[in-house]
Amino acid sequence: MLRLCHILKASSVAISANNEGYPVQPPYSPAKTYAEHPFGSDMLAGESNQAYDGVREALRLLGLDEENYGHRDWNPLGQIIRPGQTVVLKPNFVREFRETHAGHDDCLITHGSIIRAALDYVYIALNGQGRIIIADAPQNDADFDAIRRIAGLDQIQEFYRQHAGFEVEVYDLRPEKAKKIDGVIVGHEPLPGDPAGYVKVNLGRHSMFAEIEHLCHLLYGSEYDTSEIRSHHTGGLHEYMISKTILDADCIINLPKLKTHKKTGITVCLKNLVGINGNKNWLPHHREGTPSQGGDQYADDGMIHRIERRSMECFRRVFPFFGPLRTMVAGPIKAAGKRVFGDTNKDTIRSGNWHGNDTAWRMALDLNRILLYSDNKGSIHDHPARRVFCIVDGIVAGEGNGPLDPTPKRAGVVLAGQSPVAVELACAGVMGVDPQRLPLLCRAHAPHPLPLTSFSLEDVICRLPGNRCERLATLPSEMNMHFVPHFGWRGQIESPNTVKRAKESPCVA
């Protein structure tokens, strides 16, 4: 067991468990006196902060700076961050509201207490010298000011100004926001965007879309204008518009929320990189059409799907000509579409929201290769350009209709590790998902000129409470939280133990 805990450190993942809930009051300082805490015992919170404790415990379980643990000099992130560097904290700030449920219920975005804990350990590693940036590009209709309030970012920034004389920067990386009525885009408004600008990065033959070049004329992005996305994935060109703030960073601290996902099965570290983009309409989400047409928009070749596709093509052509009337007709048109073609938030599969989506996982892996191998000018190298470290917020996770309409899952876990793929594999284990049935994870291990891993699935080591170490394949049954997948994935990705549990005690997303 001791030998197992000291091998394959890059593939090690810490799982801190039994963390019950989040604190209420920002700036989410710890409630306990920790020797390494940079602000002293007089800056403690007056309420329990198990999220902070969970992050700290995950860093300890990884054995980072082990010889100094418990002392003032403990610096767990000092191996990957040096004073004077630029570090970006990348949370999941997808949106401030859910599709059909009231409020966010702590299961939608990365909680501010997780961000604060990660921020403190980054600050320790920088020794007060360098830049710390919190940045994300949320969903195109998200209200970033509302997200800031929910996450307590203003209070966190003010705390650092007052007690450290340090400016924590916060950026919404979107250049524009979509105006929607009942999910229908009726216009756009400009935003300041990334102050550093954006960089076009072309993966070319290294893109996961290179092997399906003949189907790229069917790609659909995030908005109705399909000509835009198809112009960036054609003829050997596979490019993305990436935030330069991200590419300027020496280190990215990836802070995803543990959730199910309608297009990729799960969303944790790998899919969280959607938020490093400046234009989400360059991101392939699915391919239009039925399976026999080369598409993955629908799960079958039924006539109703062919009719729906033609109707949508007509709608996209005509709708822009409605001008100011779009705000009046968007709602009735959407309601009529639900009545005729079904509601995608209930039981209808469309837009690639099923286990046969062969597009979104390719986009996610492309983004991970860009993050690892692209310099800040968009050139691809054969060696990593920056370091990445992952801390997953799974204290209150999301199951069912994720990522935008999940149901809270009080899993109580914080996971951490140096490899996004290893952490994602461990997350799949915690969720009760068989990673070998997820293209996102299977293909992350496949041979590639720009590899995302240097280890196999069998090499992933989980470091558990009580200083236990287990290979992922032998993760204890009590660590399987039996997440309910999105309905388009149910019965397709669950691990054998999860399927057995579901039959014994069926639950509904």
Side-chain angles (χ1 to χ4, degrees):
M1 183 68 70
L2 183 64
R3 189 179 72 85
L4 184 63
C5 282
H6 284 82
I7 63 173
L8 299 168
K9 210 159 191 178
S11 62
S12 294
V13 181
I15 307 178
S16 168
N18 302 314
N19 302 292
E20 301 294 333
Y22 303 108
V24 175
Q25 293 297 326
Y28 308 121
S29 296
K32 302 174 183 176
T33 301
Y34 292 128
E36 74 279 0
H37 187 236
F39 301 108
S41 59
D42 57 335
M43 291 291 109
L44 298 181
E47 61 176 330
S48 174
N49 189 345
Q50 293 193 38
Y52 198 108
D53 302 340
V55 171
R56 183 179 188 268
E57 175 65 2
L59 297 176
R60 183 196 71 80
L61 286 170
L62 282 175
L64 301 172
D65 195 24
E66 191 170 18
E67 61 274 17
N68 288 315
Y69 177 73
H71 301 284
R72 173 66 180 165
D73 293 336
W74 189 49
N75 181 10
L77 297 183
Q79 297 178 20
I80 63 170
I81 298 171
R82 299 287 183 269
Q85 292 186 332
T86 295
V87 181
V88 173
L89 277 61
K90 165 62 183 76
N92 182 342
F93 280 165
V94 61
R95 199 165 64 181
E96 77 282 5
F97 67 94
R98 292 180 290 170
E99 295 282 337
T100 65
H101 295 82
H104 58 86
D105 216 2
D106 285 336
C107 65
L108 195 58
I109 67 173
T110 307
H111 197 274
S113 56
I114 298 290
I115 298 170
R116 168 61 196 279
L119 174 60
D120 280 3
Y121 286 102
V122 169
Y123 179 73
I124 290 171
L126 288 175
N127 195 26
Q129 306 168 49
R131 295 176 69 193
I132 302 177
I133 302 166
I134 301 171
D136 192 19
Q139 179 94 351
N140 58 7
D141 61 340
D143 182 339
F144 197 77
D145 288 338
I147 291 171
R148 286 182 68 115
R149 290 193 297 272
I150 294 168
L153 297 187
D154 290 343
Q155 293 91 332
I156 291 173
Q157 284 182 291
E158 185 58 29
F159 179 90
Y160 262 80
R161 289 190 195 105
Q162 287 189 14
H163 301 290
F166 190 93
E167 186 64 35
V168 176
E169 303 165 58
V170 177
Y171 299 128
D172 177 356
L173 300 177
R174 300 172 299 172
E176 64 179 15
K177 176 184 176 182
K179 297 179 182 179
K180 289 185 178 180
I181 295 179
D182 197 17
V184 179
I185 298 174
V186 297
H188 296 84
E189 62 181 71
L191 296 173
D194 186 346
Y198 304 93
V199 179
K200 290 181 181 180
V201 182
N202 177 23
L203 277 175
R205 61 186 175 84
H206 295 312
S207 169
M208 297 307 295
F209 290 98
E211 65 188 28
I212 57 164
E213 188 87 37
H214 62 293
L215 297 174
C216 286
H217 66 285
L218 299 173
L219 292 178
Y220 189 91
S222 63
E223 302 200 5
Y224 307 136
D225 183 3
T226 56
S227 64
E228 181 175 34
I229 184 170
R230 293 168 188 177
S231 69
H232 297 289
H233 292 276
T234 183
L237 177 73
H238 297 288
E239 66 180 356
Y240 299 83
M241 183 186 289
I242 306 299
S243 157
K244 194 170 186 296
T245 286
I246 296 292
L247 296 181
D248 281 339
D250 299 290
C251 179
I252 303 294
I253 306 295
N254 194 350
L255 301 173
K257 191 74 165 176
L258 185 66
K259 290 187 291 186
T260 54
H261 197 287
K262 57 190 176 183
K263 286 180 168 55
T264 54
I266 66 174
T267 173
V268 201
C269 306
L270 301 177
K271 185 66 169 54
N272 195 38
L273 293 195
V274 164
I276 70 174
N277 291 270
N279 188 330
K280 286 188 171 60
N281 204 32
W282 291 25
L283 301 179
H285 285 64
H286 66 266
R287 297 195 300 270
E288 289 195 296
T290 62
S292 67
Q293 297 169 326
D296 54 17
Q297 184 176 8
Y298 307 106
D300 59 67
D301 292 304
M303 180 60 68
I304 188 68
H305 300 320
R306 295 170 183 262
I307 295 172
E308 181 180 352
R309 183 187 177 195
R310 296 303 180 193
S311 300
M312 283 303 301
E313 288 175 350
C314 179
F315 169 78
R316 287 197 297 267
R317 286 196 304 269
V318 173
F319 192 62
F321 296 103
F322 280 72
L325 293 177
R326 285 178 296 180
T327 58
M328 299 175 60
V329 301
I333 289 175
K334 184 65 174 288
K338 287 181 180 179
R339 286 195 300 270
V340 175
F341 300 116
D343 189 345
T344 192
N345 282 315
K346 293 182 179 179
D347 55 8
T348 299
I349 293 176
R350 67 162 61 88
S351 302
N353 299 338
W354 66 300
H355 62 91
N357 187 312
D358 182 51
T359 304
W361 66 265
R362 296 177 186 274
M363 171 262 289
L365 295 189
D366 274 7
L367 295 176
N368 279 268
R369 290 197 163 91
I370 287 172
L371 185 67
L372 280 180
Y373 293 104
S374 173
D375 64 23
N376 63 358
K377 295 180 176 60
S379 297
I380 301 296
H381 299 269
D382 59 2
H383 57 273
R386 61 194 55 79
R387 296 194 175 204
V388 179
F389 190 85
C390 303
I391 301 174
V392 179
D393 176 6
I395 293 179
V396 179
E399 65 178 353
N401 194 20
L404 298 178
D405 195 33
T407 300
K409 178 76 170 181
R410 302 189 182 280
V413 294
V414 175
L415 297 92
Q418 298 183 48
S419 164
V421 176
V423 175
E424 190 111 352
L425 284 164
C427 287
V430 167
M431 298 172 84
V433 169
D434 183 349
Q436 299 190 70
R437 302 175 77 180
L438 285 176
L440 178 67
L441 285 171
C442 288
R443 294 300 297 273
H445 281 283
H448 193 280
L450 303 176
L452 295 177
T453 63
S454 58
F455 51 84
S456 68
L457 176 67
E458 293 74 21
D459 293 330
V460 177
I461 306 299
C462 296
R463 297 168 182 256
L464 307 174
N467 296 320
R468 295 177 295 162
C469 289
E470 297 283 351
R471 294 190 184 275
L472 180 61
T474 58
L475 194 65
S477 59
E478 68 266 19
M479 298 306 298
N480 184 340
M481 305 293 178
H482 305 282
F483 277 52
V484 176
H486 178 273
F487 62 81
W489 293 75
R490 199 175 304 165
Q492 300 295 324
I493 59 172
E494 296 92 330
S495 64
N497 287 338
T498 300
V499 173
K500 181 175 183 292
R501 167 77 174 267
K503 289 179 179 178
E504 293 171 350
S505 179
C507 47
V508 178

